[in-house]
């Protein structure tokens, strides 16, 4: 009837058919403040303040995503994944990266969270390079590591790494590419040499 309204929710509006979009009225919702999400996580999920702040940053203003993250193993495994992919001690260690790719391929349901974790890491590196305040970082407890990383890789290289992560995710989840082979290529490329010949 005339009083009936349908709500279409999408995080990829550009993929909707034009005939559908033309019949819709777009309503944008702003992300929730990080402090609010953090407070809700401490109350609902009983997270410690530092963990709640980290998860709120990872969730990027979505309380639903924050609760999902809080219930996952992302907090306990965060350092393992970041160091395994971008840690200075593992750069160039191809066998370890192939082993990590094999393990990640078997964790396909959790892979979007892990790739998002890596994106936030590189985003923080860019913010450090831009001189942003610590409070704007997601990984605030690893400022020294971020500062060191920001000195050893250029902004252009960080953006290239972000593009490679996004491309791998698209290949795996939208183009049905082999997850293990795609992840192997991604992790090995992330261990590649920078333009000045040093390990990136």
């Amino acid at each position: 009837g005339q009083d009936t309204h349908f709500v279409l929710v999408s995080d990829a509006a550009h993929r909707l058919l034009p005939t559908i979009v033309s019949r819709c009225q777009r309503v944008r919702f702003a992300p929730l403040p990080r402090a609010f999400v953090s407070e809700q996580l401490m109350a609902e999920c009983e997270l410690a303040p530092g963990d709640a702040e980290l998860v709120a940053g990872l969730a990027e203003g979505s309380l639903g995503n924050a609760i999902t993250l809080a219930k996952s193993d992302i907090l306990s495994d965060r350092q393992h994944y970041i160091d395994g992919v971008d840690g200075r001690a593992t750069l160039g260690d191809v066998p370890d990266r192939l082993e990590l790719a094999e393990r990640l391929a078997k964790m396909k349901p959790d892979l979007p969270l892990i790739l998002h974790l890596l994106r936030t890491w590189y985003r923080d590196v860019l913010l450090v390079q831009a001189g942003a305040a610590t409070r704007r970082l997601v990984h605030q407890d690893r400022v020294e590591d971020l500062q060191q990383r920001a000195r050893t890789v250029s902004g252009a290289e960080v953006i290239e790494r972000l593009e490679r992560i996004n491309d791998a995710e698209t290949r795996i989840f939208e183009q049905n590419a082999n997850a293990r082979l795609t992840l192997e290529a991604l992790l090995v490329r992330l261990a590649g040499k920078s333009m000045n010949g040093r390990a990136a």
Side-chain angles (χ1 to χ4, degrees):
Q2 292 183 345
D3 296 329
T4 301
H5 297 274
F6 292 95
V7 178
L8 175 63
V9 180
S10 175
D11 61 357
H14 62 283
R15 294 180 188 156
L16 299 174
L17 294 174
T19 52
I20 294 177
V21 175
S22 66
R23 290 168 171 79
C24 294
Q25 178 180 349
R26 179 170 293 189
V27 179
R28 295 183 181 274
F29 294 92
L32 294 170
R34 187 188 297 191
F36 174 81
V37 175
S38 179
E39 290 173 3
Q40 296 302 309
L41 290 171
M42 286 187 284
E44 295 184 26
C45 302
E46 300 182 350
L47 289 186
D51 289 342
E53 182 73 13
L54 170 62
V55 172
L58 289 170
E60 298 181 330
S62 169
L63 184 56
N65 288 347
I67 292 174
T68 298
L69 285 163
K71 293 179 179 178
S72 73
D73 295 325
I74 202 74
L75 286 178
S76 59
D77 295 338
R78 175 182 60 133
Q79 185 168 340
H80 170 72
Y81 293 130
I82 291 175
D83 290 345
V85 173
D86 198 58
R88 299 298 298 166
T90 62
L91 289 175
D93 195 347
V94 174
D96 285 347
R97 286 170 181 271
L98 296 181
E99 181 182 345
L100 178 59
E102 182 178 5
R103 280 190 280 123
L104 291 178
K106 296 176 182 177
M107 302 166 56
K108 195 170 180 179
D110 297 323
L111 196 51
L113 287 181
I114 296 169
L115 294 176
H116 177 63
L117 177 71
L118 297 176
R119 273 192 293 264
T120 62
W121 173 259
Y122 285 120
R123 169 190 172 274
D124 278 359
V125 172
L126 286 175
L127 286 174
V128 169
Q129 290 176 336
T134 300
R135 59 181 172 76
R136 293 188 57 191
L137 305 177
V138 172
H139 304 274
Q140 297 177 11
D141 59 331
R142 297 195 60 180
V143 174
E144 291 183 5
D145 292 335
L146 287 166
Q147 291 172 338
Q148 178 182 1
R149 197 67 183 106
R151 291 191 294 267
T152 58
V153 64
S154 71
E157 288 165 337
V158 175
I159 292 172
E160 181 183 1
R161 286 162 182 266
L162 286 166
E163 291 174 345
R164 285 177 173 173
I165 292 171
N166 291 339
D167 181 62
E169 187 168 31
T170 298
R171 289 176 181 275
I172 293 170
F173 292 100
E174 296 183 22
Q175 300 174 4
N176 295 316
N178 182 287
R180 179 178 174 180
L181 293 178
T182 303
L183 290 168
E184 285 180 354
L186 172 66
L187 298 190
V188 170
R189 285 171 182 165
L190 292 180
K193 301 294 182 181
S194 68
M195 289 183 292
N196 59 19
R198 294 180 302 171

